Amino acid sequence: MHAIQQQYWAVRDYLSPVLKESKFKEHGRITPEEFVAAGDFLSYKFPVWTWEKGDASRARDYLPADRQYLVTRGVPCLRRATSLAYTDADEDAERLLSFGDPSSGAADEWVETHAGRNATVDSAANPGEIDDIPDLDGDGLAGAMANVSMTSETGATVGETPDLDDIPDMEEDGLEEDEDEATMAPSAPKSGVPTSSGVIDASQVGVANGNLLQVRTYDVMITYDKYYQTPRIWLIGYDENRSPLTPSQIFQDVSADHALKTVTIEGFPHSALQAASVHPCKHASVMKKVIERMNAGVVQEQLAARKNSGKPQDKDKDGKKKWAFGRKGGKDDNLKGAGEDEEVEGMRVDFYLVVFLKFIASIVPTIEVDSTTAF
Amino acid sequence: MPVVQFAPFASLVQPGFWHELTRMKIDVLRLSDEALTVSGSYSVGRSIRDRETGQDIALGCNLIVGEDAYQKASQLPPMSVAATGVFKNYNTIEDFKAADKAALCNDVASKIWDSIISTKNTSLLTQFLLITFADLKKYQYVYWFAFPAFVSKPAWEISESGWKPAQDEIKGLESIYDSLHKSIQSFFLVKEVGDIVVVGSVEQYDAFFAGVAPENRIIGFLDPSALPENPGWPLRNLLTYLRVVYPSQTSSIRVLCWRDSEKPIAGNPWKSRFGVVTIREGDPTAKPSAIGWERLPTTNKLSARVADLAPMMDPRRLADQAV
């Protein structure tokens, strides 16, 4: 038994320098091991995120085979970011979010832009190209077809309009002619009127609010980008009828500062898919700034915790905040021997992806990718 | 009393499924149009609160097929269950159009019925049918899903009190959550013994409910619907199953629609719903007719639909888009 433990320590010693070498606080980049650690933390704390293997032939050997990338599916997106045109009058819409354990009094604060902003009237009246994907339902096909052209922001047609002419009317007559009374009619009941418990159907939202709100969903993936040494985010979107979104439709959900500049369509590294991705060239510097700010708060808090308590490790173990910034801290300290580590640790790298998601949320403000607001 | 209206499944096909179909069609299937077995999944019904209006918005009753649909074992997201399906790809659009849709749907329904009669296994109750025609050159995929469900005659009715929050009726939601979290089941039984609730599988109905009063018996299912008044599609076939296999005990059933993917944060209510459904006398042993072809979401008509993947797959279009 002891031998196994020694083996374990040997392996841990062998691995730990890699983690210590990393200076994620200095330059915002992380190692693959830290990516896995941060991903483990994210998926442990927020089970909507899960690890995926991806295509075995495309697996990256510096990541564990069963932890190639993180994925969460069906992330809702209620409004288009393009309808959130940012004006000076909205400057005050920023909101400080408390971010941490409020009871400790030293919670970190976070600025949320776009807080409570209404969709601009103009964009509601001019929904642009968020019309329905055409179906094969005869009439209206030609009209609907006009809307699938890939139009860039300037209105220039980028791609050719696909030719659906040779796929004929596909409606079936004589199939299930009887209306089934036990099948919920999609639009008939309580159209637009919220039910007693206030839940409305996603397909009815536009009717209910009169502001052309269309609920899209996104599958969001996080991969590790070896070159930039940061996580990288990928998006695959579906419209309210569950048809895949075209690139130009996806760009409607990206804030204007980033669409077509930092967000592009590229091959997803772990399968044959093409997906929208936020280019990671600026991730490290942004993450560095964010981490610096947060770290200052965390260090202060930890120092305060040590002053207040003669046995910092015990405090750490029992403290409510332990899981957030020191989940591994308590354990490691105990293994090393309590009390010999006088250095203040600051923010753990485990927390990296949680912070990263908050940063990504500013690029795609209407996609509810940041499920971590619970704390 | 009002008739129970079930929220139909809505298919969601991930682009990875079409990529994989393209690859298989070229490398493996070629000209074969044999039916294949594929797998999909559905999760508990989810809703999201609109921060601007404070309203809860139900996110569709989705059955998802993805890239791993062709593999035997696929990884499921939390609080999701698998559903098996019959997948048939036609080589020409004419074949696709000429296919006898009613017969195809009835074939799957017969398989479900046979499993109810012979094996009494609930794992085959939720099955789907998917027919496609893939235009590989244009990256366009014509497809149509069917989710066969039996039409109960007379129809199931919901009691006067209607569908209400499960926490008003059932004390032990937390222990139900724990046991579902440990091993997720599409359908399950719950019995209340004193203050304790116990979860069991439907296959052990007789042994599980032996000596349990009818008012302490609950039938539960993982509910993909998030609409307060409409239970999800899988309940239809489960009710048919119970009616056929246990006709004497099931003229009134207490139903738990399980909709919680995680324990509610302090102060928030559980999302699961509860209702008592009843049925008037009929002949449960006669095979009911089945329905289930998916309707177009835009027009609510029975029709195939097209996934146009050209913007995301056509190399020329992608090259145009890249700046």
Side-chain angles (χ1 to χ4, degrees), chain A residues 324-351:
Chain A
F325 297 114
R327 184 172 68 102
K328 279 167 82 183
K331 260 188 230 158
D332 287 355
D333 287 352
N334 287 344
L335 286 170
K336 275 182 225 153
E340 67 183 42
D341 183 10
E342 282 302 312
E343 223 174 290
V344 178
E345 190 171 38
M347 201 185 93
R348 298 281 316 188
V349 74
D350 304 37
F351 213 59

Side-chain angles (χ1 to χ4, degrees), chain A residues 74 117 135 180 182 200 241-242, chain B residues 6 11 46 52 58 298 305:
Chain A
R117 180 146 6 115
D135 52 62
D180 174 40
I200 49 178
N241 296 323
R242 306 172 308 279
Chain B
F6 301 89
S11 61
R46 296 181 309 147
E52 282 178 22
T298 42
R305 37 188 314 195

Side-chain angles (χ1 to χ4, degrees), chain B residues 254-290:
Chain B
R254 288 151 50 86
V255 177
L256 169 63
C257 309
W258 188 261
R259 294 177 180 181
D260 288 280
S261 58
E262 42 199 76
K263 281 187 195 175
I265 305 162
N268 288 349
W270 292 82
K271 290 179 186 148
S272 298
R273 309 285 291 175
F274 176 86
V276 182
V277 298
T278 55
I279 194 166
R280 278 174 282 117
E281 279 311 305
D283 177 16
T285 53
K287 184 186 165 199
S289 61

